[in-house]
Amino acid sequence: MLKKIIVLVLLVSLVPVALTFAGGEKEAAAKESSNLMVIVTPDKDNTFFTAEADAAKAKAESLGYETLLAVHGDDPMQESDIIDTAISSNAVAIIIDIANADASPNNLKRATDAGIPVFCMDREINVTGIAKAQLISNNFQGARLGAEYFVELMGEKGNFVELVGKESDTNAGVRSQGFHSIIDQYPDMKMVARETANWSQTEAYSDIESILQANPGINGIICGNDTMALGAQAAIEAAGREDIIVMGFDGNDNVLQSMLQGKIDGTVMQPNALNAEMAVELADTYIKTGSTGMDEEKILNDCFLITPANADQWKGYKKIK
Amino acid sequence: MRRRIVQPRLFFLILLIAGLSCGSCTIKKLNELDQDKETDEYSTWTKSGKEFNPVEYVNSIWDEKVIPIFMEESVEIHAVLEVLLQDKEKALQEYGLTRPSGEKIPAFKVKGMAEVLKYDDSSRNGLLVLDLQPTDGQEDVLLQIGPVIRQTAIRDSLDFIRFTDVGNQLQFASLADQLNLRMRKESVEPLDLENISGKNICFYGAIKLEEDQEVQTLKDYVVTPVKIEMIEAEESEND
């Protein structure tokens, strides 16, 4: 029995040392061998997110990093799995457009606890101190900018429909609140329908198709993103109602084209390529110096209003003129 | 051989100790991070997770900070416009808001005296059309008095207000809205708008430009007032 206890004590005192030593070696080896930036975005079918992923990837590769692209589909569980993969791959940094403002911080904290710095782009988390930097698209400012233009085009009056994005996505709510913080100040603007079209072009099409049958007296449609605006525009064209004002959000190239053809009336350009590139640059600075060199964790980048007059100045979410 | 001696319970104990030692490393790291952070009087809003109350906050800063800062730092609008209409970049360098990092923001605090040519209420974004002193009958400046106040110029002209301090973009925007509402309550509601044409005013206010915005027409540099005061005509003072 005594012998057993001695062995136990010895083991207890030795094993953590051995573990720590092994851990240290592993960490050092990982730092030498891994050069991997894991880039996480919500969706691989939406050009907004593919442009974001492409911008981050191109910047990371130009700085000499290997990249791994992953999508979480706005699902915190999938995001969690991706974080695990990043940890097991000894990534040097994670560049992420998060799944959900409430659920994602816990996922991200696991990465930072494992020693992997996290840099957020586009969407923000409410908690500070987890991400090394957050490059945020000011969706609320963008929504207000778009709503002001929408109200102006409507002559401050008329019946309108709002198409809302996927409820689980924080930005769907943020944009909707942004729209209303402006439009609701105009008592002659009447919202006749508000539908969730889940960011989807086909859902937007069928929503507007049926709304138009029930409410032919519609003057405008304000959409939480550009894919829904494209669906709405197709539906009003099919109904022969090209007098209806359509406002999008994102700065999708197809919407810019539609605007140049005199169809969709306006959109809001998100600085998402800029956010992605800045996130990677700050990650690179952090990896090399141990600091991002910025005063603040959250850097809010404003959106730009796009009208038919400046729609030709942008391509791939970047200013080209 | 050794592994066979070790009981499952012991493994649990080892894992627990190993876990604790890893845990303590992490805690130290976070503490260090917290120490690195600049602490200021409002940082607890986000760190404590306490909900930000824009009304209370604006009440706490309006008379004590906002008004004094504008009274002290505003530049004659003539001087700002003279440069701004010629060379936006030069105006930014000379009169723009300077961040501690040295970065210049296209937000300007301005003041001036003017005759009100008219109150344009054709839009809910009502405007006072001003002819700056010395008057020449020309429309020089638009002062937005609402009821709808567009954008966030007051907030954006105040350097002590930081996005990070208020938690998220909605709170940051509601803070701007509250500043605009407070301004309307203090400076616009007391005005007799029906009879304001032809009267003289003194104003303090903010101009905020977008990054790539051109500055050509009056609509491009609408002033958001912070303080508007009627100037009594000399005759009435003598009465």
Side-chain angles (χ1 to χ4, degrees):
Chain A
M1 187 62 193
L2 184 68
K3 206 173 156 191
K4 226 175 179 181
I5 289 172
I6 291 170
V7 171
L8 277 177
V9 169
L10 270 174
L11 275 174
V12 167
S13 58
L14 282 175
V15 170
V17 174
L19 276 179
T20 312
F21 185 66
E25 250 184 359
K26 201 178 161 196
E27 210 171 55
K31 273 185 182 150
E32 276 166 30
S33 64
S34 165
N35 192 26
L36 181 71
M37 269 197 196
V38 176
I39 297 163
V40 192
T41 52
D43 190 349
K44 61 178 170 39
D45 297 323
N46 183 332
T47 59
F48 176 80
F49 295 120
T50 51
E52 179 180 75
D54 290 348
K57 183 175 192 279
K59 176 56 79 178
E61 287 174 357
S62 78
L63 292 166
Y65 294 95
E66 290 168 43
T67 54
L68 173 69
L69 301 189
V71 294
H72 53 59
D74 291 325
D75 177 359
M77 295 298 289
Q78 284 191 47
E79 183 184 64
S80 175
D81 293 344
I82 295 167
I83 297 293
D84 287 338
T85 307
I87 293 170
S88 63
S89 319
N90 300 315
V92 286
I94 297 171
I95 313 292
I96 185 165
D97 193 340
I98 58 151
N100 181 285
D102 298 318
S104 295
N106 283 334
N107 289 339
L108 303 186
K109 192 162 183 306
R110 284 218 322 285
T112 58
D113 286 350
I116 303 174
V118 173
F119 300 81
C120 293
M121 56 185 170
D122 182 31
R123 299 171 184 170
E124 74 183 290
I125 51 173
N126 287 336
V127 192
T128 54
I130 294 178
K132 297 288 175 254
Q134 298 193 50
L135 288 304
I136 304 159
S137 285
N138 196 343
N139 277 263
F140 202 75
Q141 168 267 349
R144 286 156 64 107
L145 200 61
E148 279 177 352
Y149 186 63
F150 181 68
V151 168
E152 197 179 311
L153 292 177
M154 297 272 291
E156 302 187 5
K157 62 177 189 294
N159 298 322
F160 73 97
V161 176
E162 182 193 359
L163 291 182
V164 189
K166 200 183 274 182
E167 302 275 5
S168 63
D169 181 342
T170 313
N171 275 339
V174 167
R175 288 176 200 170
S176 179
Q177 288 185 56
F179 291 155
H180 284 278
S181 77
I182 297 298
I183 300 172
D184 294 355
Q185 298 181 78
Y186 295 84
D188 297 332
M189 294 284 295
K190 306 273 186 225
M191 184 165 73
V192 293
R194 181 175 187 270
E195 294 288 336
T196 301
N198 292 310
W199 306 133
S200 153
Q201 190 163 341
T202 48
E203 281 186 48
Y205 183 94
S206 56
D207 282 346
I208 295 301
E209 193 179 38
S210 52
I211 289 168
L212 277 176
Q213 284 165 4
N215 292 290
I218 284 164
N219 313 105
I221 304 167
I222 189 160
C223 308
N225 83 341
D226 275 348
T227 46
M228 295 191 294
L230 288 164
Q233 179 65 30
I236 63 173
E237 279 173 39
R241 287 295 309 278
E242 278 144 59
D243 57 305
I244 296 175
I245 289 157
V246 176
M247 187 78 201
F249 193 111
D250 278 345
N252 177 317
D253 283 347
N254 293 331
V255 166
L256 301 185
Q257 277 309 312
S258 171
M259 287 170 67
L260 292 171
Q261 292 161 12
K263 294 177 176 175
I264 290 177
D265 298 90
T267 190
V268 174
M269 181 62 67
Q270 289 210 64
N272 82 328
L274 173 75
N275 286 332
E277 287 169 1
M278 274 178 84
V280 172
E281 280 169 4
L282 291 178
D284 178 55
T285 308
Y286 183 85
I287 290 163
K288 286 173 180 159
T289 69
S291 158
T292 61
M294 303 298 287
D295 299 340
E296 313 269 3
E297 172 188 317
K298 288 190 178 185
I299 300 153
L300 195 61
N301 286 320
D302 279 349
C303 301
F304 302 90
L305 179 68
I306 307 294
T307 68
N310 66 352
D312 64 339
Q313 295 173 12
W314 295 77
K315 196 170 195 303
Y317 302 90
K318 282 187 170 177
K319 193 149 197 207
I320 52 167
K321 278 188 189 172
Chain B
M1 280 303 280
R2 263 186 186 183
R3 287 186 72 176
R4 266 206 316 216
I5 301 168
V6 181
Q7 308 283 322
R9 254 187 304 172
L10 177 61
F11 249 125
F12 180 72
L13 189 66
I14 292 168
L15 283 176
L16 189 72
I17 291 171
L20 280 175
S21 60
C22 288
S24 66
C25 293
T26 314
I27 288 164
K28 192 169 167 242
K29 221 169 164 184
L30 283 176
N31 282 345
E32 281 168 7
L33 277 175
D34 277 348
Q35 278 162 14
D36 289 345
K37 277 220 179 86
E38 208 184 275
T39 50
D40 64 65
E41 57 185 312
Y42 301 112
S43 58
T44 48
W45 287 342
T46 50
K47 281 177 191 158
S48 69
K50 206 164 73 180
E51 202 173 327
F52 170 63
N53 183 328
V55 179
E56 272 176 25
Y57 178 61
V58 169
N59 285 342
S60 76
I61 60 167
W62 185 263
D63 290 322
E64 269 129 60
K65 280 182 149 176
V66 179
I67 296 295
I69 285 173
F70 270 90
M71 302 279 271
E72 193 177 309
E73 296 180 8
S74 294
V75 178
E76 280 293 338
I77 190 166
H78 272 304
V80 176
L81 290 182
E82 200 176 319
V83 185
L84 187 60
L85 291 168
Q86 299 295 322
D87 185 345
K88 190 181 156 191
E89 190 51 40
K90 195 176 165 201
L92 183 65
Q93 292 307 321
E94 279 184 36
Y95 301 114
L97 182 72
T98 311
R99 288 277 186 224
S101 60
E103 188 193 357
K104 291 280 186 180
I105 309 291
F108 307 91
K109 296 185 200 72
V110 295
K111 63 180 177 186
M113 287 202 275
E115 183 186 326
V116 178
L117 294 177
K118 66 175 175 201
Y119 167 45
D120 178 357
D121 65 350
S122 59
S123 161
R124 292 270 296 161
N125 179 227
L127 301 166
L128 290 183
V129 183
L130 304 182
D131 177 6
L132 293 175
Q133 298 282 5
T135 56
D136 59 1
Q138 299 289 310
E139 297 182 354
D140 298 319
V141 167
L142 302 175
L143 199 62
Q144 62 166 337
I145 57 167
V148 174
I149 302 294
R150 287 184 161 194
Q151 297 173 340
T152 53
I154 303 177
R155 180 200 67 194
D156 297 342
S157 310
L158 294 166
D159 189 48
F160 72 90
I161 295 175
R162 299 295 184 76
F163 169 56
T164 307
D165 295 336
V166 294
N168 66 36
Q169 11 180 324
L170 272 73
Q171 292 174 337
F172 195 48
S174 71
L175 166 55
D177 289 346
Q178 279 307 319
L179 286 165
N180 291 344
L181 281 172
R182 179 67 184 256
M183 175 281 290
R184 272 192 40 81
K185 184 166 172 261
E186 302 280 339
S187 297
V188 178
E189 283 174 15
L191 299 176
D192 175 11
L193 292 173
E194 274 183 27
N195 299 303
I196 201 165
S197 295
K199 301 272 171 61
N200 285 293
I201 61 165
C202 163
F203 66 91
Y204 291 82
I207 299 173
K208 168 77 196 298
L209 304 176
E210 299 308 317
E211 288 297 332
D212 62 344
Q213 186 189 328
E214 289 181 23
V215 188
Q216 286 164 346
T217 69
L218 291 179
K219 288 256 181 192
D220 296 330
Y221 54 91
V222 172
V223 177
T224 307
V226 170
K227 192 176 169 73
I228 304 172
E229 280 178 345
M230 303 304 298
I231 302 173
E232 297 300 327
E234 277 177 37
E235 310 86 87
S236 57
E237 271 175 20
N238 295 337
D239 282 348

